[in-house]
Amino acid sequence: MIIEQASKWGKWIYPEAIWRMDPNEHSVYLTFDDGPIPESTPFLLDTLTQFDAKATFFMVGDNVKRHPELYQQIVDAGHQVGNHTYNHLGAFKHWTTTYIINTFKANELIHSHLFRPPHGIMRPSEYYWLNKEFKIIMWDLVTRDYSKWMTAEDVLHNVKEHTRNGSIITFHDSLKSIDKLRFALPEALKWLKEQGYAFKTFK
């Protein structure tokens, strides 16, 4: 399995989740998980503005509560928002009821019809209930910007190596990623524009 790309078993377990958009359109869907936080989000927003690119931010409810001004900046800039649970819960570390309640608690702040599970995994029971209420967005490409084993150049390489028509590209709005993204994000956006990709968000 190539860790940067979606696994076949994930598509089998979550058949109605969205892993890739239209492969016939020369477009990509930029996504950022885990924010908003003051150490990262402003840079991401400034960089996206510089390249006239829109993205979807899958946000943690507790971070939105702590930094409502950053949430509002994301919305005011015309980006899409998504739910990433209230406490970035691990799906198998909690009861299904706890996970569902935590997700809806987050949505009282985030107000989104989109959901992405932390770590990209859910119990089948969690998937069953959340799929009734949300459009579940997974990914076609994980840049692995969070990994201590990856350099900024590695992150950029992953974008160049694995992006294709309809790719849902996952970056992170986090302390683990921001030092790499200060180089990798603008270079990735520059390259994507040079390749003629349009930047789109989810409906």
Side-chain angles (χ1 to χ4, degrees):
M1 181 183 73
I2 300 174
I3 193 169
E4 286 82 7
Q5 295 185 298
S7 63
K8 293 182 179 179
W9 65 262
K11 296 178 182 179
W12 180 75
I13 295 173
Y14 315 122
E16 294 184 44
I18 298 172
W19 298 86
R20 181 186 179 190
M21 299 299 280
D22 190 345
N24 297 309
E25 287 192 5
H26 198 51
S27 305
V28 294
Y29 293 71
L30 305 172
T31 66
F32 295 87
D33 290 1
D34 300 349
I37 58 171
E39 296 86 352
S40 176
T41 309
F43 171 79
L44 302 182
L45 290 175
D46 288 346
T47 304
L48 290 167
T49 297
Q50 178 185 347
F51 288 90
D52 193 26
K54 292 295 185 283
T56 302
F57 286 76
F58 287 93
M59 293 185 279
V60 174
D62 188 47
N63 285 339
V64 174
K65 184 177 181 180
R66 292 170 185 266
H67 309 292
E69 74 288 351
L70 293 178
Y71 167 88
Q72 196 59 50
Q73 287 177 29
I74 291 169
V75 172
D76 289 347
H79 300 292
Q80 181 64 276
V81 298
N83 189 326
H84 204 46
T85 76
Y86 191 87
N87 298 107
H88 201 267
L89 293 190
F92 288 93
K93 296 181 179 180
H94 303 273
W95 294 106
T96 295
T97 301
T98 301
Y99 192 89
I100 301 301
I101 290 173
N102 193 271
T103 300
F104 278 92
K105 180 181 179 182
N107 221 44
E108 292 176 3
L109 297 170
I110 299 169
H111 311 294
S112 178
H113 65 293
L114 306 175
F115 176 73
R116 173 177 284 167
H119 314 295
I121 194 166
M122 294 169 281
R123 295 176 187 265
S125 55
E126 293 160 352
Y127 167 71
Y128 173 80
W129 289 108
L130 291 174
N131 192 51
K132 291 176 175 291
E133 300 293 334
F134 296 92
K135 181 181 291 187
I136 297 175
I137 308 294
M138 298 303 232
W139 60 81
D140 184 55
L141 162 59
V142 177
T143 62
R144 297 181 65 208
D145 53 358
Y146 54 83
S147 174
K148 65 181 180 179
W149 306 111
M150 304 288 287
T151 66
E153 289 77 10
D154 292 332
V155 173
L156 177 61
H157 172 78
N158 282 341
V159 173
K160 293 182 176 182
E161 182 73 14
H162 300 292
T163 296
R164 54 186 178 170
N165 284 357
S167 280
I168 300 171
I169 304 174
T170 298
F171 297 97
H172 289 78
D173 185 0
S174 71
L175 293 174
K176 291 181 179 180
S177 301
I178 186 57
D179 287 344
K180 302 182 191 74
L181 290 184
R182 290 190 188 282
F183 168 80
L185 183 60
E187 290 298 317
L189 296 181
K190 177 183 176 182
W191 181 83
L192 289 166
K193 293 198 77 154
E194 288 173 349
Q195 303 308 305
Y197 285 106
F199 301 115
K200 292 190 174 183
T201 56
F202 308 99
K203 302 299 184 183

